Amino acid sequence: MKWGCTELSVLLSSTFTAWCNSHLRKAGTQIENIDEDFRDGLKLMLLLEVISGERLPKPERGKMRVHKINNVNKALDFIASKGVKLVSIGAEEIVDGNAKMTLGMIWTIILRFAIQDISVEETSAKEGLLLWCQRKTAPYKNVNVQNFHISWKDGLAFNALIHRHRPELIEYDKLRKDDPVTNLNNAFEVAEKYLDIPKMLDAEDIVNTARPDEKAIMTYVSSFYHAFSGAQKAETAANRICKVLAVNQENEHLMEDYEKLASDLLEWIKRTIPWLEDRVPQKTIQEMQQKLEDFRDYRRVHKPPKVQEKCQLEINFNTLQTKLRLSNRPAFMPSEGKMVSDINNGWQHLEQAEKGYEEWLLNEIRRLERLDHLAEKFRQKASIHESWTEGKEAMLKQKDYETATLSDIKALIRKHEAFESDLAAHQDRVEQIAAIAQELNELDYYDSPSVNARCQKICDQWDVLGSLTHSRREALEKTEKQLETIDQLHLEYAKRAAPFNNWMESAMEDLQDMFIVHTIEEIEGLIAAHDQFKSTLPDADKEREAILGIQSEAQRIADYNNIKLSGNNPYTSVTPQIINSKWERVRQLVPKRDHALLDEQSKQQSNEHLRRQFASQANIVGPWIQTKMQEIGRISIEMNGTLEDQLNHLKQYEQSIVDYKPNIDLLEQQHQLIQEALIFDNKHTNYTMEHIRVGWEQLLTTIARTINEVENQILTRDAKGISQEQMQEFRASFNHFDKDHGGSLGPEEFKACLISLGYDVENDRQGDAEFNRIMSLVDPNNSGIVTFQAFIDFMSRETTDTDTADQVIASFKVLAGDKNYITAEELRRELPPDQAEYCIARMAPYQGPDAIPGALDYKSFSTALYGESDL
């Protein structure tokens, strides 16, 4: 050590002299002047023997200078042999009485033999001594040790050190910070009288110095440290207890976090299941489509975070149980109804409710769409029929035949026959109306009452028309014998015009009929039928011209014979104008039907494109997910390299899976387009969006669980001190006997594995007993299988040691001074405040015969930490 140019203080010389004498008096000698009494080297060698406990070479007793130099050199060589570098300190300077060099040498000795070996929480020398002082004086007010000079001027720190270890020697509460001289003298006198620590400093010198000498303070304080070194045993015991309590507190926080997360997730499941099980249909397509959109939001927005929460909950539960096993604590048992199995049962119920919900929504939309189509068709046919029947009842009730001529009667008969033909033709429409109404009732159409009322009115009116028709025919036939002449031409016109008119009405009805198709084939079938209908139009036009020709011929004959016709054809109300008007209407409706069919064909082509687009992506994503699931299973079995390498590889693998998410999102977008287009099937792929979603969720959960298993293995390895080679050996042995690569061993496979590792579990009485003992550890539930985690836990217990309840009890006994109980004051003195209060709050009162007021039972508390009592 190289010293500065300034002289060391008298205070430092006095301190070093007192320190030397505290050791030399053990050899029965003292020094008066530090730079004079060490000149011959004899007392210097004696000092080194006392403080080191070692023998130095025999000193030379001569009075000559060379003898003194040789003795000092022997002392300096011994100091150097202890790893101390002596810079600029030579034997000649010591022999010559150089005070500066002598004090420097003594300080080097103090550093090496009194301070250097001090170690507190892996610090050493000056930092270790300072940390020891800070920890011992922390509970005392007005004491804040930050250095080895001004922190000690008021004397309270010295008194606190003594009071901490020997409270009966110091009345600390009576000391005042504003009386430093009294404080210092009190500490120095008590230390000298009761602790055998000589007075090394003068109180007035410390108080009157702006900054006391750091080396003098350190020398004095190191004497206190060595005097109280016996108290380190109690401090070590306190550290052990703090470590155990810290583990227990952390586990309690993890348990509370699990309980809260489990409660929140179960509450969400409880709220969601009734919503998914609500299958009350809505009245309109719009309302059902809104329910479908709400369900899509649930699948895209609300459910994915809950999937992550469920996965994280399982990971947290597994990690907590691993930490409890590693710290020799009992397994965590969640509150009733909050087990992982309870959450899985709730989740399974949720997915069962969800499974048929979307299919039900789509079926309901199809049903409502069908209902709307049928309702519109009913209204169209009902309107046409009501339009046709308008005035028919009044017509059938006329008594015009009573005053008619013969020709009039014949005309009335023919007209009535034409009406009957027309009536029969309309019978089919009435049956269609009734059938549609019946189908609407069977499909639970919301407006069925009004449909039924209208249908009933039409049927009742139809029955009246039938009855009136029959009555009129009887009346006409009754007078028919009196009537002979009839205009055959008009009659033929009426007979041909009525069915043609009916055909045109049916054609107009068909051309305006709504249609619903879901495939290209269906629309092409409608187009083919429409083309077939158009091919009949030329023949129909010829029939129209033929019918009009009959009317023209009748008119020509009448004109030729000067016959004055009495207006329109008496046999029919279908005039040529009506035929031409309806024919023109048919011709107008044909191109409109063409456009409607072509538009629907374009729509179905677009839908087919969406099907192929989704199928193309799904046929890539689906096999990719299956391949990744197989690869994860293979990776979890092979597990090459160190656990950290495996963990990094799995996390990289997990990231590659997460990076694939845009492909899932793209598929979701394509699926949404398909559903918006109301496409309900896809022959181009066997994969549905539901398959993809379930596979994706299983893939994320599987990789997360595999990573968690490796993390738990690392935690087990580090906590139990298992080497990487041991872990690889355990994995290799396990995989060797795991023939089906299922990740678990049966009893016979496990026994073979144990035999390969050197365990004596052969098929004899002793071997069977040992094997049964081991099976009770690795398979406490008698499931008949041994997982790799259980196998690692067993091997770690067999090869390592952990804290036990007995060790913690022994540590508390040290703090209690070998008593069977401990007091709150002792806990607060020896433990950090938060952990001391933790113990006080949880320890039961001590009930033994030697109990005192406030005595606490540390034994039951310690066993409770390891699940060995009911505390």
Side-chain angles (χ1 to χ4, degrees):
M1 178 177 290
K2 188 173 182 179
W3 295 85
C5 297
T6 60
E7 293 295 334
L8 294 173
S9 66
V10 175
L11 174 65
L12 187 59
S13 177
S14 174
T15 303
F16 285 1
T17 300
W19 182 85
C20 292
N21 284 333
S22 69
H23 294 284
L24 286 172
R25 68 185 177 189
K26 298 176 184 177
T29 186
Q30 296 282 298
I31 62 172
E32 297 293 334
N33 191 318
I34 195 168
D35 52 340
E36 288 294 328
D37 292 347
F38 285 146
R39 291 179 64 182
D40 61 2
L42 295 176
K43 290 187 177 180
L44 178 60
M45 294 179 69
L46 182 60
L47 175 65
L48 290 173
E49 286 183 345
V50 171
I51 63 177
S52 69
E54 300 181 20
R55 297 291 296 176
L56 272 70
K58 186 176 180 180
E60 298 179 13
R61 298 293 180 178
K63 300 295 185 179
M64 299 179 63
R65 175 181 173 81
V66 66
H67 296 147
K68 297 178 180 180
I69 292 175
N70 288 340
N71 287 339
V72 174
N73 274 328
K74 290 177 182 179
L76 295 178
D77 291 340
F78 179 80
I79 295 172
S81 71
K82 297 302 179 182
V84 178
K85 293 183 179 181
L86 298 170
V87 181
S88 300
I89 300 178
E92 291 79 7
E93 287 86 355
I94 305 300
V95 172
D96 292 338
N98 188 320
K100 176 181 176 182
M101 292 301 174
T102 301
L103 291 175
M105 178 188 66
I106 297 303
W107 174 243
T108 301
I109 293 172
I110 292 172
L111 280 178
R112 174 59 184 85
F113 294 100
I115 298 177
Q116 180 173 319
D117 292 334
I118 296 174
S119 177
V120 179
E121 294 187 357
E122 300 182 358
T123 63
S124 61
K126 179 180 178 181
E127 292 80 10
L129 183 59
L130 182 62
L131 179 57
W132 177 80
C133 294
Q134 290 172 339
R135 292 185 58 181
K136 295 301 181 181
T137 61
Y140 294 86
K141 62 181 180 179
N142 298 328
V143 177
N144 183 16
V145 177
Q146 298 296 328
N147 49 56
F148 286 108
H149 37 81
I150 61 175
S151 294
W152 303 83
K153 284 189 66 176
D154 59 9
L156 292 177
F158 286 104
N159 283 278
L161 283 178
I162 297 172
H163 185 268
R164 180 65 184 268
H165 297 89
R166 297 288 300 277
E168 73 277 8
L169 299 179
I170 299 290
E171 293 182 338
Y172 186 84
D173 293 334
K174 294 183 179 181
L175 301 177
R176 303 200 322 271
K177 186 174 181 67
D178 60 355
D179 192 4
V181 174
T182 300
N183 297 341
L184 290 166
N185 283 328
N186 181 63
F188 296 163
E189 290 169 6
V190 169
E192 187 173 34
K193 182 177 181 180
Y194 295 100
L195 303 178
D196 201 25
I197 299 174
K199 185 176 181 180
M200 299 182 186
L201 298 171
D202 184 82
E204 286 75 15
D205 291 341
I206 294 176
V207 174
N208 296 330
T209 303
R211 178 186 170 104
D213 189 276
E214 187 178 60
K215 301 178 183 63
I217 299 295
M218 286 180 65
T219 302
Y220 208 172
V221 172
S222 69
S223 297
F224 282 82
Y225 174 87
H226 290 292
F228 297 134
S229 59
Q232 288 300 110
K233 183 179 180 182
E235 183 174 344
T236 301
N239 287 337
R240 176 183 289 273
I241 292 172
C242 291
K243 176 183 175 183
V244 171
L245 295 178
V247 170
N248 211 58
Q249 288 172 312
E250 180 185 1
N251 289 340
E252 287 182 359
H253 290 315
L254 290 174
M255 293 175 189
E256 291 171 0
D257 292 342
Y258 174 87
E259 290 281 338
K260 183 178 185 305
L261 188 56
S263 297
D264 293 345
L265 185 57
L266 286 170
E267 180 61 26
W268 178 82
I269 292 174
K270 183 178 179 181
R271 291 196 313 269
T272 305
I273 287 176
W275 175 68
L276 292 173
E277 290 178 341
D278 179 16
R279 304 296 170 86
V280 177
Q282 301 299 314
K283 294 182 178 180
T284 65
I285 292 179
Q286 291 74 21
E287 291 173 323
M288 290 303 298
Q289 286 177 336
Q290 182 59 49
K291 290 177 73 72
L292 179 61
E293 188 61 31
D294 293 341
F295 179 75
R296 290 173 184 159
D297 287 342
Y298 156 79
R299 292 304 304 268
R300 292 194 302 264
V301 179
H302 302 295
K303 185 182 178 184
K306 298 303 177 182
V307 173
Q308 294 296 324
E309 288 180 16
K310 177 177 176 292
C311 180
Q312 189 61 46
L313 188 69
E314 294 178 1
I315 291 173
N316 291 351
F317 181 84
N318 293 335
T319 301
L320 173 59
Q321 298 293 39
T322 299
K323 288 186 176 181
L324 290 173
R325 287 197 304 272
L326 295 178
S327 58
N328 213 15
R329 267 59 166 189
F332 169 54
M333 183 63 64
S335 302
E336 183 177 358
K338 296 180 182 178
M339 295 287 291
V340 172
S341 59
D342 296 321
I343 294 171
N344 287 334
N345 289 337
W347 192 265
Q348 185 178 7
H349 188 187
L350 175 75
E351 292 189 331
Q352 287 175 350
E354 176 186 321
K355 184 176 181 181
Y357 188 70
E358 184 176 18
E359 182 179 355
W360 173 77
L361 288 174
L362 296 176
N363 287 336
E364 276 299 307
I365 290 174
R366 285 195 289 265
R367 185 183 71 83
L368 291 175
E369 186 179 31
R370 170 68 176 164
L371 285 175
D372 284 352
H373 170 69
L374 287 174
E376 182 61 26
K377 192 170 186 178
F378 173 85
R379 286 189 289 270
Q380 283 188 2
K381 288 185 176 293
S383 296
I384 293 172
H385 177 78
E386 288 165 347
S387 176
W388 177 83
T389 59
E390 185 177 359
K392 294 296 191 293
E393 188 173 341
M395 179 197 74
L396 292 172
K397 292 179 179 179
Q398 291 181 103
K399 302 292 185 178
D400 53 342
Y401 54 84
E402 294 180 347
T403 57
T405 62
L406 181 61
S407 60
D408 293 334
I409 287 297
K410 287 190 176 292
L412 290 175
I413 291 175
R414 297 296 182 268
K415 183 178 180 181
H416 189 69
E417 290 175 349
F419 173 76
E420 287 180 327
S421 177
D422 199 11
L423 186 68
H426 280 79
Q427 175 70 35
D428 183 61
R429 181 179 289 113
V430 174
E431 292 174 354
Q432 289 177 6
I433 291 171
I436 293 172
Q438 179 64 29
E439 188 172 359
L440 288 172
N441 278 279
E442 292 173 354
L443 294 177
D444 195 21
Y445 181 55
Y446 77 95
D447 199 20
S448 290
S450 64
V451 170
N452 292 337
R454 190 172 184 181
C455 178
Q456 187 62 46
K457 182 179 179 182
I458 289 173
C459 292
D460 292 344
Q461 186 185 36
W462 186 256
D463 291 339
V464 171
L465 288 177
S467 177
L468 291 175
T469 300
H470 179 71
S471 299
R472 183 172 178 80
R473 167 167 283 279
E474 288 181 345
L476 291 172
E477 288 178 346
K478 186 177 180 180
T479 57
E480 183 184 11
K481 294 179 181 180
Q482 303 173 9
L483 305 173
E484 295 177 355
T485 307
I486 190 168
D487 191 345
Q488 293 295 330
L489 206 54
H490 280 181
L491 181 59
E492 183 179 357
Y493 170 87
K495 289 182 177 181
R496 293 181 66 175
F500 185 72
N501 179 67
N502 192 48
W503 174 86
M504 288 191 296
E505 289 181 348
S506 296
M508 288 189 292
E509 182 179 342
D510 291 340
L511 289 172
Q512 296 178 86
D513 190 17
M514 295 176 61
F515 55 84
I516 297 177
V517 296
H518 299 288
T519 64
I520 287 290
E521 292 76 9
E522 292 177 358
I523 189 61
E524 288 178 349
L526 290 178
I527 293 174
H530 184 61
D531 291 340
Q532 178 64 30
F533 168 76
K534 290 193 293 184
S535 67
T536 65
L537 291 179
D539 291 338
D541 191 34
K542 291 179 180 178
E543 176 67 10
R544 179 184 67 85
E545 291 177 351
I547 293 171
L548 296 178
I550 293 173
Q551 180 65 22
S552 299
E553 179 64 16
Q555 186 64 45
R556 186 189 68 78
I557 293 173
D559 293 341
Y560 180 79
N561 295 289
N562 295 318
I563 299 173
K564 186 176 181 182
L565 299 177
S566 61
N568 295 331
N569 191 318
Y571 305 114
T572 181
S573 60
V574 180
T575 65
Q577 292 77 15
I578 291 175
I579 292 177
N580 286 331
S581 174
K582 290 185 177 180
W583 177 255
E584 186 62 29
R585 178 60 178 161
V586 169
R587 291 182 58 192
Q588 292 173 355
L589 289 175
V590 167
K592 290 182 179 180
R593 185 72 167 185
D594 287 336
H595 290 311
L597 291 172
L598 291 176
D599 289 343
E600 183 62 28
Q601 184 182 37
S602 175
K603 175 184 174 183
Q604 291 303 322
Q605 289 173 345
S606 174
N607 289 353
E608 183 69 11
H609 171 71
L610 291 177
R611 288 189 184 95
R612 292 182 182 274
Q613 179 178 266
F614 176 83
S616 175
Q617 183 71 5
N619 289 335
I620 295 173
V621 173
W624 183 88
I625 292 176
Q626 294 172 350
T627 300
K628 294 300 177 183
M629 289 290 289
Q630 295 170 358
E631 291 177 357
I632 293 173
R634 186 178 66 254
I635 291 172
S636 65
I637 293 174
E638 295 175 353
M639 291 297 181
N640 297 320
T642 67
L643 290 176
E644 285 76 7
D645 293 339
Q646 296 168 20
L647 183 60
N648 291 334
H649 179 57
L650 284 171
K651 287 186 175 180
Q652 292 172 1
Y653 202 82
E654 182 185 36
Q655 186 59 45
S656 70
I657 292 174
V658 172
D659 293 342
Y660 198 75
K661 183 64 165 55
N663 295 282
I664 305 298
D665 295 338
L666 175 60
L667 204 57
E668 286 282 6
Q669 295 171 3
Q670 295 172 350
H671 179 64
Q672 182 172 351
L673 293 176
I674 282 180
Q675 290 199 324
E676 289 173 353
L678 296 179
I679 299 173
F680 305 112
D681 54 10
N682 193 340
K683 65 182 180 181
H684 303 295
T685 180
N686 293 325
Y687 292 100
T688 66
M689 198 62 230
E690 181 64 23
H691 294 152
I692 299 298
R693 290 177 185 138
V694 172
W696 179 252
E697 292 170 0
Q698 290 178 347
L699 181 61
L700 293 178
T701 302
T702 300
I703 189 64
R705 286 176 177 165
T706 305
I707 289 174
N708 180 244
E709 288 177 1
V710 177
E711 290 174 338
N712 284 340
Q713 292 174 25
I714 292 174
L715 191 61
T716 302
R717 181 199 66 192
D718 295 343
K720 299 297 185 178
I722 300 174
S723 66
Q724 181 65 35
E725 292 75 15
Q726 287 177 305
M727 186 64 76
Q728 290 177 345
E729 180 185 359
F730 295 158
R731 169 56 81 178
S733 299
F734 189 89
N735 286 344
H736 176 75
F737 292 98
D738 184 12
K739 302 300 184 181
D740 60 356
H741 304 297
S744 60
L745 300 179
E748 293 301 322
E749 293 174 330
F750 181 55
K751 177 181 282 190
C753 182
L754 290 175
I755 293 173
S756 72
L757 292 172
Y759 283 83
D760 186 11
V761 291
E762 296 292 345
N763 293 324
D764 53 36
R765 177 178 297 178
Q766 182 177 357
D768 290 341
E770 175 64 11
F771 180 69
N772 290 334
R773 180 190 71 82
I774 295 174
M775 281 299 292
S776 69
L777 295 176
V778 299
D779 185 19
N781 297 324
N782 295 323
S783 62
I785 61 172
V786 180
T787 65
F788 182 66
Q789 185 61 47
F791 175 67
I792 288 298
D793 290 343
F794 166 72
M795 296 306 298
S796 65
R797 285 197 296 270
E798 293 290 305
T799 57
T800 61
D801 190 17
T802 60
D803 290 328
T804 66
D806 291 339
Q807 291 174 329
V808 176
I809 291 172
S811 297
F812 271 117
K813 194 167 187 178
V814 171
L815 297 188
D818 289 333
K819 298 191 297 293
N820 291 324
Y821 59 85
I822 194 168
T823 66
E825 180 182 358
E826 289 170 331
L827 288 170
R828 291 190 176 102
R829 185 174 70 237
E830 300 298 342
L831 298 178
D834 61 333
Q835 295 188 341
E837 297 303 325
Y838 178 83
C839 292
I840 293 169
R842 286 163 173 77
M843 281 188 182
Y846 177 68
Q847 304 294 339
D850 53 342
I852 65 172
L856 300 175
D857 187 353
Y858 61 78
K859 291 183 179 179
S860 63
F861 173 76
S862 300
T863 56
L865 290 177
Y866 292 89
E868 299 175 11
S869 79
D870 297 329
L871 185 62

